[in-house]
Amino acid sequence: MALLPLAPLSQPLLLSHFLNPNPQSPFLHNSTTLSLYRRKLRIYPLVFAFSGGRNLTPPSSQGPFSGVSLSSKETTKLYPGLFHLAASAILFIGFAARACTAVAAPVPVVPTPISQKILEQRIEERDGGGYPSVDPNAVNTGKSDILETVEDEELKAALESWKSKTYALTVPLRIVSLRGSLPPSWIKDFMQVQGRRLKLRSEFRGSLGDIFSDLNKDFSKTSLDPRSSMAADIVTVGDSWLSLAIKKGIIEPMEDVESQDWFKGLSDKWKAYLCRNSNGELDSNGKIWGAPYRWGSIVIAYKKSKFQKHNLSPIEDWGDLWRPDLAGKISMVDSPREVVGAVLKYMGASYNTKDFDSEVPGGRNAVMQNLALLQKQVRLFDSVHYLKAFGVGDVWVAVGWSSDVLPAAKRMSNIAIVVPKSGASLWADLWAIPSASRFSTSQIGGRIRGPSPLIHQWIEFCLQVARALPFKQEVIPGASPSALEDPLIEESQEFTKGKPKLDSDLVAGVPPPEILARCEFLEPLSDAILRDYQLLIDAMQKPGYGVINFMQHYISTIAKTLGLKQQ
């Protein structure tokens, strides 16, 4: 039998309560307790008979045994052994009485609040469903069973309701980027961050011109192929292509960028460069059309072994390209802005000159004369093959973008790379959103009527500080956008310890601070000024022998390679 809870003693416990129990006594709660007390007290006469009252308190109306009188006949002399036995029995009975007198009423079960009407309704439903009949006035334990059944039914109904809903378990994101511009670790890390809900598709193109050509071609169509670049959520666009892409309408502005953390973290120089109107011109009141993820500069690479062999001084600035000892030993990218820009920097002017006569010493005629002299120095103007001519030894100097030159130089030996002291042009690779919303189809690549909601998360991820590590380790040529204002050259040198060092003044793709301050991004120019640049290039009589010699060497190199493979 389980112990009953103890009850507080509000009055003295008298022996008369046990010998002559009163059903109304606060210490006796039921018949079971009463019979228990009687069984426990059967030994009390024996105890008093053996004790002789020698060590007991005399009877008193105030004593614990008031109302109990013992005659002299009942008091006999007690042997010592029996006295100890009696004392032990008293202690045992006292503890048992204390436990039994503490019997309390059963603790009522507090049911979850529910109206009587609802409870009766649930009972009727249960009875009608074939369950045993339940009395609404049943004990609390019965109500508890009913409430548990009600809660189980409600949870089951909620589960069925949740299962009936349709959720988009995956979020698509399709990226088309320039090959070699995106660190492979970014894709892996972003997928781990987003988890299984992300459905990422990444594709690569060989050049920025290929991406622009794909976008332009798809834009002119009436229907859209889901595999095309236009159907991607986000694509790589070079900053030199940005103005034209805006004017043609093949990309759309990024909405609500002011509230995005990645935009807040950009420097004012980036924001001013990316804010443009619908004509692609710089405009402080315009919209943001792209987000940078890497940048670099134009550089000059030269073969140290050739320079040492012929006792030539190292190249340091643009003026060295006009040295007579380098005539016919130079290859250069075929870009009007870069070729004319090199002349302008040599003459102390800006890459973004809009009026040659007013902004350049000597005016337009001086520009044309220096451009003609440079034409005699350069053996090959070609944006695709200029590094191949440099690699096979046709030329000793190559002028091109750091994204091209740095990887090629690492495959060669005795190569030095410099950023001209008077400053160079800067380039940037940007994320842009294609204008696929103009197409009537409901399914566009990895998205449905609009860009993926993960676009801003992807840009935010690319601009995090941790994403700059591949640039600092020189795994990918270029630099993080944050390095434009904070190069952190000393920190970058720690990442390249123990690796073969390339002879260059670039540190993790970033020019020295004093040179970087004189570098410029190529700002968009009007159509009239661009035509003027092109006229200057067309007026140059490009040397044909350089191209012919290059092709001959190139073909002979391939023939030799094939011959070696056959042997």
Side-chain angles (χ1 to χ4, degrees):
M1 181 177 64
L3 292 178
L4 300 174
L6 299 179
L9 295 179
S10 58
Q11 56 184 343
L13 180 63
L14 304 180
L15 185 60
S16 59
H17 293 147
F18 303 105
L19 299 179
N20 301 300
N22 182 0
Q24 304 298 324
S25 173
F27 305 103
L28 305 178
H29 300 281
N30 50 46
S31 58
T32 302
T33 307
L34 181 59
S35 62
L36 175 64
Y37 285 179
R38 287 175 176 173
R39 288 197 301 269
K40 296 294 183 180
L41 294 175
R42 287 174 185 173
I43 63 172
Y44 269 92
L46 178 63
V47 172
F48 281 96
F50 288 156
S51 65
R54 181 171 18 181
N55 296 321
L56 298 178
T57 304
S60 171
S61 59
Q62 302 299 325
F65 299 103
S66 63
V68 180
S69 59
L70 301 174
S71 63
S72 59
K73 296 180 181 181
E74 297 174 335
T75 58
T76 59
K77 189 171 183 180
L78 183 67
Y79 291 99
L82 293 177
F83 177 77
H84 290 298
L85 176 62
S88 301
I90 292 172
L91 291 175
F92 174 79
I93 294 172
F95 283 117
R98 178 66 178 176
C100 295
T101 55
V103 177
V107 179
V109 178
V110 181
T112 304
I114 185 171
S115 66
Q116 183 69 17
K117 184 177 180 180
I118 296 177
L119 182 59
E120 293 175 358
Q121 181 181 356
R122 295 291 187 180
I123 294 172
E124 291 176 0
E125 293 176 356
R126 180 170 177 174
D127 293 343
Y131 294 96
S133 178
V134 179
D135 182 9
N137 298 321
V139 295
N140 291 332
T141 55
K143 292 183 180 181
S144 177
D145 292 339
I146 297 173
L147 291 174
E148 290 179 2
T149 303
V150 171
E151 292 177 356
D152 291 342
E153 293 175 355
E154 292 176 350
L155 288 175
K156 186 176 181 180
L159 177 60
E160 294 298 329
S161 175
W162 177 82
K163 289 167 61 178
S164 65
K165 294 182 178 180
T166 302
Y167 293 92
L169 298 180
T170 59
V171 181
L173 179 66
R174 181 167 173 249
I175 302 171
V176 174
S177 61
L178 174 65
R179 183 178 292 111
S181 69
L182 191 64
S185 60
W186 287 12
I187 301 293
K188 179 181 177 181
D189 294 344
F190 187 70
M191 293 178 67
Q192 290 179 346
V193 169
Q194 295 297 324
R196 293 185 177 181
R197 70 173 185 144
L198 171 65
K199 183 180 179 182
L200 180 63
R201 292 173 56 193
S202 59
E203 303 172 17
F204 303 96
R205 302 290 187 268
S207 67
L208 294 172
D210 292 341
I211 297 177
F212 183 86
S213 178
D214 289 347
L215 294 174
N216 191 38
K217 179 177 62 178
D218 296 333
F219 189 75
S220 60
K221 296 180 179 179
T222 56
S223 61
L224 189 61
D225 185 353
R227 297 169 297 179
S228 63
S229 298
M230 180 62 72
D233 294 300
I234 194 167
V235 299
T236 298
V237 175
D239 66 317
S240 59
W241 298 89
L242 183 61
S243 178
L244 185 58
I246 295 174
K247 280 193 288 187
K248 284 184 168 291
I250 62 178
I251 63 173
E252 61 185 44
M254 295 182 173
E255 302 295 339
D256 301 325
V257 293
E258 291 79 6
S259 61
Q260 301 297 326
D261 291 337
W262 67 263
F263 183 75
K264 296 176 182 178
L266 286 179
S267 65
D268 293 337
K269 184 181 292 187
W270 281 116
K271 292 178 181 178
Y273 186 61
L274 298 173
C275 193
R276 307 191 182 194
N277 56 29
S278 57
N279 291 323
E281 302 168 346
L282 298 181
D283 187 350
S284 59
N285 296 321
K287 297 182 178 181
I288 301 299
W289 298 81
Y293 66 93
R294 74 163 183 164
W295 63 277
S297 66
I298 202 84
V299 295
I300 302 176
Y302 64 93
K303 293 181 176 291
K304 294 192 296 182
S305 57
K306 296 291 185 180
F307 276 57
Q308 293 170 356
K309 181 179 179 179
H310 296 84
N311 296 321
L312 302 179
S313 58
I315 292 179
E316 296 181 349
D317 206 348
W318 290 113
D320 293 321
L321 298 182
W322 277 263
R323 283 166 27 186
D325 51 17
L326 294 179
K329 306 295 185 185
I330 303 172
S331 65
M332 190 173 185
V333 293
D334 186 14
S335 168
R337 292 295 302 272
E338 296 294 353
V339 175
V340 177
V343 175
L344 294 173
K345 294 300 288 185
Y346 167 58
M347 300 178 67
S350 170
Y351 271 96
N352 301 306
T353 298
K354 297 179 176 62
D355 188 346
F356 296 115
D357 292 328
S358 62
E359 299 180 29
V360 181
R364 182 184 182 87
N365 291 332
V367 173
M368 292 185 65
Q369 290 175 2
N370 285 314
L371 191 57
L373 292 175
L374 179 63
Q375 175 261 329
K376 294 179 180 179
Q377 297 289 108
V378 177
R379 187 170 187 173
L380 175 66
F381 288 95
D382 192 306
S383 298
V384 178
H385 303 293
Y386 74 101
L387 286 176
K388 293 179 181 178
F390 181 67
V392 298
D394 273 1
V395 295
W396 301 349
V397 180
V399 182
W401 300 288
S402 58
S403 57
D404 294 339
V405 176
L406 289 174
K410 289 181 178 180
R411 297 190 294 266
M412 306 177 191
S413 59
N414 293 320
I415 303 298
I417 299 175
V418 298
V419 182
K421 289 184 177 180
S422 57
S425 65
L426 300 178
W427 57 264
D429 287 337
L430 315 171
W431 294 122
I433 302 175
S435 296
S437 56
R438 63 180 289 271
F439 294 91
S440 58
T441 177
S442 60
Q443 181 71 34
I444 302 177
R447 53 189 169 139
I448 299 177
R449 300 310 305 153
S452 168
L454 293 178
I455 284 180
H456 286 298
Q457 294 187 35
W458 168 253
I459 297 174
E460 174 73 25
F461 176 84
C462 294
L463 295 181
Q464 291 175 354
V465 177
R467 306 285 80 77
L469 185 59
F471 300 124
K472 294 177 181 180
Q473 293 178 335
E474 298 179 356
V475 175
I476 296 292
S480 173
S482 60
L484 186 64
E485 298 289 340
D486 186 16
L488 297 176
I489 291 179
E490 294 182 0
E491 179 183 352
S492 301
Q493 289 175 343
E494 296 179 1
F495 289 103
T496 56
K497 282 185 177 180
K499 296 183 179 181
K501 182 173 177 56
L502 187 65
D503 188 358
S504 172
D505 55 0
L506 287 170
V507 179
V510 181
E514 63 277 7
I515 298 178
L516 180 60
R518 294 189 283 269
C519 293
E520 306 172 73
F521 279 109
L522 298 180
E523 299 177 359
L525 301 176
S526 65
D527 292 340
I529 299 175
L530 287 176
R531 283 194 297 268
D532 201 10
Y533 273 69
Q534 189 62 48
L535 288 173
L536 290 174
I537 297 297
D538 294 340
M540 296 171 57
Q541 185 179 356
K542 298 181 182 179
Y545 68 89
V547 178
I548 294 175
N549 286 348
F550 161 71
M551 293 303 297
Q552 290 176 347
H553 280 280
Y554 183 63
I555 293 172
S556 63
T557 302
I558 294 177
K560 290 178 182 178
T561 303
L562 292 175
L564 291 174
K565 289 183 178 180
Q566 291 175 357
Q567 291 177 2

